[in-house]
Amino acid sequence: MLFVNVISTIILAGSVAAIPLRVPLPQSKRDVNPALVPSFGWQSGVNPDGTGNCDGAVNGSNGKPILVPCQCPPNSTFFLANLNKNVAAGFVTTNPTVKLSFPTDNSTASQLARLNAAAVTLQNLEGPGVGCPISSTTFSAQGKAISAETSTNGSSSATPPLTSTAASSTPVPSGSFSAISTAAADCGVPTNTSVTSTAVPTSVSSTNTSVSPTDEQIATLAPPLGWQAGINPDGTGNCDGAVNGTNGKPILIPCQCPPDQTHYIANLTANIRAGHVILNPTVQLTFPTDNSTASQNARLNAAAVTIQNLNGAGKGCPIVATTFSAQQKAINAESTS
């Protein structure tokens, strides 16, 4: 995940006796150029099913559109206002551990960075992990096209996959996760479009220079998934998730989510050793072993970006296939009590 330092501008105003001085008004960081903002490539409200879900822009493993909340993607004016705030801050203002940048050149890395900024903004519009899933857009396809163009042109450098905190299929109800990019993922365990948090990725260096936890510590401290796959299948490949939507009913997830514990821990361990999500390298993570609030949240973030990118960038399971959001609320509530 790219990190951007927040720049604060201090305007010093003074008065000089005989010489009037024009003091410039404080200037805010310039808004992003709308022409550079990735388009959603989809509109909200397509083929409503009467339960608040509509067709998304991405098909699941069953060949049918992944369902998304009918209000997704959002109004472009609302989205752009949020993107401007986040770019000015250098992180998602509603989920501060998720860093972003918005470079303006046309390099592959910069185009993917802009896609990531758009993706994490989308996924955290109303709060940590409370927004619209990546599958309500064509961001994932756009990322593939950008990377394919680079490889076609013979670029020797590997291009980082679109990263954001994950491809989702449904947003998490409000009040949900904070350092994690939430949303339901594509299906078939497609979740890593990281276009996160993410998520949600914590600010961490990809080189993992601190003492690395042992395999036993990882297995012991890994946040429990808190849910099992295959609950209440609807016959179309979807099952009940661990989180209820705004209609009071469980948000649907791919029936193979969450993954089994062995697969989950093996992938989490590999990512921790690398200091980033191996299948989505721009998403960085850490796994501190102390019991501070920050460390517990960092471990939740590591777990979240791992399951969201199990099979590739943006191809995995959504956060709503777990109780990670509720776990984070409990951790933060305990720290403030």
Side-chain angles (χ1 to χ4, degrees):
M1 184 66 69
L2 301 174
F3 298 79
V4 180
N5 294 324
V6 180
I7 302 175
S8 38
T9 306
I10 303 174
I11 304 294
L12 300 178
S15 59
V16 179
I19 306 174
L21 183 66
R22 175 178 294 178
V23 180
L25 294 173
Q27 294 182 339
S28 60
K29 209 174 218 183
R30 182 177 299 174
D31 287 346
V32 302
N33 180 351
L36 294 177
V37 177
S39 65
F40 292 140
W42 197 249
Q43 62 184 35
S44 60
V46 175
N47 194 23
D49 66 0
T51 66
N53 294 317
C54 286
D55 287 356
V58 179
N59 287 342
S61 55
N62 59 1
K64 297 179 180 179
I66 295 174
L67 297 180
V68 301
C70 283
Q71 66 269 32
C72 292
N75 171 278
S76 58
T77 302
F78 176 67
F79 172 74
L80 186 57
N82 280 270
L83 179 62
N84 281 327
K85 279 194 303 183
N86 293 342
V87 171
F91 55 84
V92 178
T93 55
T94 56
N95 197 353
T97 57
V98 181
K99 310 295 181 183
L100 56 82
S101 63
F102 199 89
T104 57
D105 66 276
N106 203 39
S107 67
T108 297
S110 293
Q111 291 180 71
L112 290 176
R114 293 195 293 269
L115 269 175
N116 180 69
V120 294
T121 293
L122 180 75
Q123 293 172 316
N124 297 274
L125 281 171
E126 304 289 350
V130 184
C132 285
I134 298 305
S135 52
S136 65
T137 71
T138 60
F139 287 172
S140 184
Q142 290 176 50
K144 287 180 182 177
I146 291 168
S147 296
E149 183 178 349
T150 300
S151 57
T152 300
N153 292 337
S155 170
S156 59
S157 60
T159 54
L162 183 58
T163 101
S164 125
T165 46
S168 355
S169 66
T170 20
V172 198
S174 55
S176 153
F177 222 13
S178 104
I180 297 178
S181 73
T182 26
D186 283 353
C187 274
V189 195
T191 134
N192 227 24
T193 263
S194 215
V195 208
T196 236
S197 181
T198 191
V200 82
T202 44
S203 41
V204 149
S205 92
S206 60
T207 51
N208 224 7
T209 53
S210 59
V211 178
S212 185
T214 65
D215 288 356
E216 183 179 359
Q217 286 176 312
I218 293 172
T220 301
L221 295 174
L225 297 170
W227 198 249
Q228 64 184 38
I231 294 179
N232 195 24
D234 67 0
T236 67
N238 294 318
C239 287
D240 287 355
V243 178
N244 288 342
T246 52
N247 59 2
K249 297 179 180 179
I251 294 174
L252 297 179
I253 61 173
C255 282
Q256 63 268 42
C257 292
D260 67 75
Q261 186 72 5
T262 301
H263 189 198
Y264 162 54
I265 295 298
N267 280 270
L268 177 61
T269 300
N271 291 341
I272 291 168
R273 299 282 176 249
H276 60 261
V277 177
I278 293 174
L279 296 178
N280 200 353
T282 55
V283 180
Q284 316 230 316
L285 56 83
T286 52
F287 197 86
T289 56
D290 66 278
N291 203 39
S292 68
T293 298
S295 292
Q296 292 180 71
N297 280 329
R299 292 196 294 267
L300 273 172
N301 178 72
V305 294
T306 291
I307 73 162
Q308 290 173 321
N309 297 273
L310 283 172
N311 294 333
K315 297 178 181 176
C317 286
I319 299 305
V320 291
T322 72
T323 59
F324 288 171
S325 184
Q327 291 176 49
Q328 189 178 51
K329 283 183 183 177
I331 289 168
N332 292 335
E334 184 177 347
S335 70
T336 57
S337 60

PDB file of all heavy atoms in Angstrom, residues 182-196:
ATOM      1  N   THR A 182     -13.778  -3.857   4.273  1.00  0.00           N
ATOM      2  CA  THR A 182     -14.858  -4.800   4.345  1.00  0.00           C
ATOM      3  C   THR A 182     -15.701  -4.794   3.161  1.00  0.00           C
ATOM      4  O   THR A 182     -15.946  -3.837   2.571  1.00  0.00           O
ATOM      5  CB  THR A 182     -15.832  -4.370   5.359  1.00  0.00           C
ATOM      6  OG1 THR A 182     -15.731  -3.101   5.471  1.00  0.00           O
ATOM      7  CG2 THR A 182     -15.736  -5.024   6.554  1.00  0.00           C
ATOM      8  N   ALA A 183     -16.368  -5.750   2.945  1.00  0.00           N
ATOM      9  CA  ALA A 183     -17.284  -5.877   1.888  1.00  0.00           C
ATOM     10  C   ALA A 183     -17.264  -7.267   1.453  1.00  0.00           C
ATOM     11  O   ALA A 183     -16.342  -7.972   1.645  1.00  0.00           O
ATOM     12  CB  ALA A 183     -16.869  -5.017   0.765  1.00  0.00           C
ATOM     13  N   ALA A 184     -18.281  -7.600   0.818  1.00  0.00           N
ATOM     14  CA  ALA A 184     -18.329  -8.960   0.417  1.00  0.00           C
ATOM     15  C   ALA A 184     -17.522  -9.105  -0.805  1.00  0.00           C
ATOM     16  O   ALA A 184     -17.501  -8.283  -1.641  1.00  0.00           O
ATOM     17  CB  ALA A 184     -19.724  -9.273   0.101  1.00  0.00           C
ATOM     18  N   ALA A 185     -16.869 -10.175  -0.965  1.00  0.00           N
ATOM     19  CA  ALA A 185     -15.975 -10.306  -2.064  1.00  0.00           C
ATOM     20  C   ALA A 185     -16.610 -10.919  -3.272  1.00  0.00           C
ATOM     21  O   ALA A 185     -17.700 -11.343  -3.233  1.00  0.00           O
ATOM     22  CB  ALA A 185     -14.875 -11.183  -1.621  1.00  0.00           C
ATOM     23  N   ASP A 186     -15.898 -11.008  -4.338  1.00  0.00           N
ATOM     24  CA  ASP A 186     -16.429 -11.589  -5.544  1.00  0.00           C
ATOM     25  C   ASP A 186     -16.872 -12.957  -5.153  1.00  0.00           C
ATOM     26  O   ASP A 186     -16.969 -13.310  -4.130  1.00  0.00           O
ATOM     27  CB  ASP A 186     -15.327 -11.749  -6.564  1.00  0.00           C
ATOM     28  CG  ASP A 186     -15.033 -10.457  -7.167  1.00  0.00           C
ATOM     29  OD1 ASP A 186     -15.748  -9.562  -6.895  1.00  0.00           O
ATOM     30  OD2 ASP A 186     -14.101 -10.342  -7.925  1.00  0.00           O
ATOM     31  N   CYS A 187     -17.057 -13.892  -5.828  1.00  0.00           N
ATOM     32  CA  CYS A 187     -17.482 -15.135  -5.302  1.00  0.00           C
ATOM     33  C   CYS A 187     -16.436 -16.122  -5.587  1.00  0.00           C
ATOM     34  O   CYS A 187     -15.579 -15.948  -6.306  1.00  0.00           O
ATOM     35  CB  CYS A 187     -18.592 -15.617  -6.011  1.00  0.00           C
ATOM     36  SG  CYS A 187     -20.132 -15.393  -5.894  1.00  0.00           S
ATOM     37  N   GLY A 188     -16.688 -17.297  -5.139  1.00  0.00           N
ATOM     38  CA  GLY A 188     -15.796 -18.336  -5.395  1.00  0.00           C
ATOM     39  C   GLY A 188     -14.522 -18.015  -4.792  1.00  0.00           C
ATOM     40  O   GLY A 188     -13.497 -18.412  -5.164  1.00  0.00           O
ATOM     41  N   VAL A 189     -14.565 -17.368  -3.790  1.00  0.00           N
ATOM     42  CA  VAL A 189     -13.434 -16.884  -3.108  1.00  0.00           C
ATOM     43  C   VAL A 189     -12.657 -16.008  -3.976  1.00  0.00           C
ATOM     44  O   VAL A 189     -11.486 -16.123  -4.068  1.00  0.00           O
ATOM     45  CB  VAL A 189     -12.550 -17.964  -2.620  1.00  0.00           C
ATOM     46  CG1 VAL A 189     -11.604 -17.431  -1.639  1.00  0.00           C
ATOM     47  CG2 VAL A 189     -13.375 -19.003  -1.993  1.00  0.00           C
ATOM     48  N   PRO A 190     -13.330 -15.105  -4.631  1.00  0.00           N
ATOM     49  CA  PRO A 190     -12.618 -14.080  -5.310  1.00  0.00           C
ATOM     50  C   PRO A 190     -12.598 -12.933  -4.418  1.00  0.00           C
ATOM     51  O   PRO A 190     -13.577 -12.367  -4.195  1.00  0.00           O
ATOM     52  CB  PRO A 190     -13.483 -13.730  -6.465  1.00  0.00           C
ATOM     53  CG  PRO A 190     -14.709 -14.365  -6.252  1.00  0.00           C
ATOM     54  CD  PRO A 190     -14.597 -15.298  -5.127  1.00  0.00           C
ATOM     55  N   THR A 191     -11.607 -12.456  -3.934  1.00  0.00           N
ATOM     56  CA  THR A 191     -11.651 -11.293  -3.166  1.00  0.00           C
ATOM     57  C   THR A 191     -10.525 -10.426  -3.212  1.00  0.00           C
ATOM     58  O   THR A 191     -10.336  -9.597  -2.490  1.00  0.00           O
ATOM     59  CB  THR A 191     -11.750 -11.639  -1.752  1.00  0.00           C
ATOM     60  OG1 THR A 191     -11.036 -11.041  -1.045  1.00  0.00           O
ATOM     61  CG2 THR A 191     -11.496 -12.741  -1.383  1.00  0.00           C
ATOM     62  N   ASN A 192      -9.691 -10.468  -3.875  1.00  0.00           N
ATOM     63  CA  ASN A 192      -8.634  -9.582  -3.749  1.00  0.00           C
ATOM     64  C   ASN A 192      -8.542  -8.550  -4.747  1.00  0.00           C
ATOM     65  O   ASN A 192      -7.588  -8.401  -5.328  1.00  0.00           O
ATOM     66  CB  ASN A 192      -7.467 -10.373  -3.935  1.00  0.00           C
ATOM     67  CG  ASN A 192      -6.575 -10.068  -2.935  1.00  0.00           C
ATOM     68  OD1 ASN A 192      -6.802  -9.663  -1.969  1.00  0.00           O
ATOM     69  ND2 ASN A 192      -5.495 -10.311  -3.118  1.00  0.00           N
ATOM     70  N   THR A 193      -9.300  -7.863  -5.085  1.00  0.00           N
ATOM     71  CA  THR A 193      -9.079  -6.852  -5.986  1.00  0.00           C
ATOM     72  C   THR A 193      -8.574  -5.758  -5.289  1.00  0.00           C
ATOM     73  O   THR A 193      -8.779  -4.700  -5.503  1.00  0.00           O
ATOM     74  CB  THR A 193     -10.351  -6.365  -6.434  1.00  0.00           C
ATOM     75  OG1 THR A 193     -10.756  -6.607  -7.176  1.00  0.00           O
ATOM     76  CG2 THR A 193     -10.574  -5.724  -7.070  1.00  0.00           C
ATOM     77  N   SER A 194      -8.088  -6.026  -4.375  1.00  0.00           N
ATOM     78  CA  SER A 194      -7.678  -5.116  -3.532  1.00  0.00           C
ATOM     79  C   SER A 194      -7.615  -3.884  -4.161  1.00  0.00           C
ATOM     80  O   SER A 194      -6.678  -3.319  -4.425  1.00  0.00           O
ATOM     81  CB  SER A 194      -6.381  -5.374  -3.191  1.00  0.00           C
ATOM     82  OG  SER A 194      -6.349  -5.044  -2.079  1.00  0.00           O
ATOM     83  N   VAL A 195      -8.502  -3.623  -4.370  1.00  0.00           N
ATOM     84  CA  VAL A 195      -8.529  -2.397  -4.796  1.00  0.00           C
ATOM     85  C   VAL A 195      -8.589  -1.775  -3.604  1.00  0.00           C
ATOM     86  O   VAL A 195      -9.141  -1.928  -2.790  1.00  0.00           O
ATOM     87  CB  VAL A 195      -9.700  -2.172  -5.510  1.00  0.00           C
ATOM     88  CG1 VAL A 195      -9.562  -1.217  -6.434  1.00  0.00           C
ATOM     89  CG2 VAL A 195     -10.056  -3.262  -6.149  1.00  0.00           C
ATOM     90  N   THR A 196      -7.892  -2.043  -0.728  1.00  0.00           N
ATOM     91  CA  THR A 196      -7.753  -2.076   0.160  1.00  0.00           C
ATOM     92  C   THR A 196      -7.378  -2.181  -0.325  1.00  0.00           C
ATOM     93  O   THR A 196      -6.873  -1.891  -0.356  1.00  0.00           O
ATOM     94  CB  THR A 196      -7.769  -2.010   0.883  1.00  0.00           C
ATOM     95  OG1 THR A 196      -6.466  -1.549   0.729  1.00  0.00           O
ATOM     96  CG2 THR A 196      -6.620  -2.084   0.866  1.00  0.00           C
TER      97      THR A 196
END
